[in-house]
Amino acid sequence: MTTNDSGSAPKPPAKDPWDLPDVSGLTVGVLGGTGPQGRGLAYRLARAGQKVVIGSRAADRAEAAAAELGHGVEGADNAQCARRSDVVIVAVPWDGHAETLASLRGELAGKLVVDCVNPLGFDKKGAYALTPEEGSAAEQAAALLPDSRVTAAFHHLSAVLLQDEAIEEIDTDVMVLGETRADTDTVQALANRIPGMRGIFAGRLRNAHQVESLVANLISVNRRYKAHAGLRTTDV
């Protein structure tokens, strides 16, 4: 007896992992958009044609930074940035991470949130990873934002390279983590908008700690070799 004869439906074909959605019409907000990483991400996405709003605790500071970045980038206070955006990248310093997100729980409800914060400490030996109570910055974000769809990505990017206008392509992969395929596909597609960059699914949020922690290793690489190292995933 064949499968069809038994009455069970045939399995649908596996989804192509590179079949990603069109995200060109989404507005991307960047909380911490006046800091190095936030400015760099905002600049690269806007340069690629994405609508970008950067947020800061002070609207005038965000507006000034947006004017410097150009490419149609707009500035607003953090609450307005969150309200006006479809996707919100969290690029705030680790020591302000929990406070910032807790204060924006209402504005971020229903939003796709992309956490790129790396909990790190520094001493005379260099950078080292911190372990948040929740396990990672991304898991802390998910706990603080129960009404948001939290993902994690953009951890391993050099702020120096992102902000360098002379560099046309950013040669790196972006590890994307999350609980829902539609959400991680969207974040991968955003990463793919930046020339040279490629979004790669890397697991669920429970795996975010080691991704965030790897930045400490990259800092050591960069110091030894005077570089701005990124990551590439082979055989994918």
Side-chain angles (χ1 to χ4, degrees):
M1 180 179 290
T2 65
T3 301
N4 287 340
D5 290 338
S6 67
S8 60
K11 281 187 176 182
K15 186 178 185 295
D16 182 350
W18 300 113
D19 181 14
L20 301 173
D22 178 7
V23 295
S24 59
L26 298 179
T27 298
V28 178
V30 183
L31 301 178
T34 59
Q37 195 79 356
R39 283 176 67 103
L41 283 168
Y43 172 70
R44 288 292 162 177
L45 287 167
R47 180 168 162 172
Q50 207 73 37
K51 177 67 176 175
V52 176
V53 181
I54 60 174
S56 176
R57 286 177 294 180
D60 56 350
R61 186 179 175 197
E63 290 164 359
E68 292 174 3
L69 291 173
H71 297 280
V73 176
E74 298 179 10
D77 64 40
N78 283 332
Q80 283 294 332
C81 173
R83 290 190 194 101
R84 292 168 57 184
S85 303
D86 303 299
V87 179
V88 180
I89 297 173
V90 181
V92 300
W94 166 242
D95 58 7
H97 183 262
E99 180 182 358
T100 299
L101 294 185
S103 70
L104 297 171
R105 176 173 172 174
E107 289 82 0
L108 291 171
K111 307 286 184 175
L112 175 55
V113 174
V114 187
D115 201 295
C116 71
V117 176
N118 303 300
L120 298 177
F122 295 86
D123 60 19
K124 290 187 292 184
K125 295 181 180 180
Y128 60 95
L130 303 175
T131 304
E133 181 179 348
E134 297 84 357
S136 64
E139 289 169 295
Q140 182 183 86
L144 292 169
L145 304 172
D147 299 318
S148 303
R149 293 136 48 215
V150 176
T151 61
F154 301 116
H155 300 90
H156 306 135
L157 307 180
S158 163
V160 173
L161 298 185
L162 288 173
Q163 295 182 81
D164 189 338
E165 297 181 8
I167 294 176
E168 297 293 330
E169 297 187 358
I170 304 296
D171 181 22
T172 193
D173 284 340
V174 171
M175 301 180 79
V176 181
L177 303 98
E179 301 302 317
T180 303
R181 180 159 188 169
D183 293 337
T184 56
D185 280 358
T186 295
V187 179
Q188 286 181 252
L190 279 174
N192 289 1
R193 294 271 286 163
I194 300 174
M197 199 175 287
R198 186 176 64 156
I200 301 287
F201 175 71
R204 295 180 179 269
L205 289 186
R206 68 182 183 181
N207 293 321
H209 173 65
Q210 56 265 38
V211 173
E212 297 168 2
S213 300
L214 189 58
V215 174
N217 301 90
L218 289 177
I219 290 172
S220 297
V221 170
N222 291 337
R223 287 181 174 175
R224 174 64 60 89
Y225 298 101
K226 311 300 182 192
H228 300 291
L231 297 178
R232 276 293 187 199
T233 307
T234 61
D235 199 32
V236 176

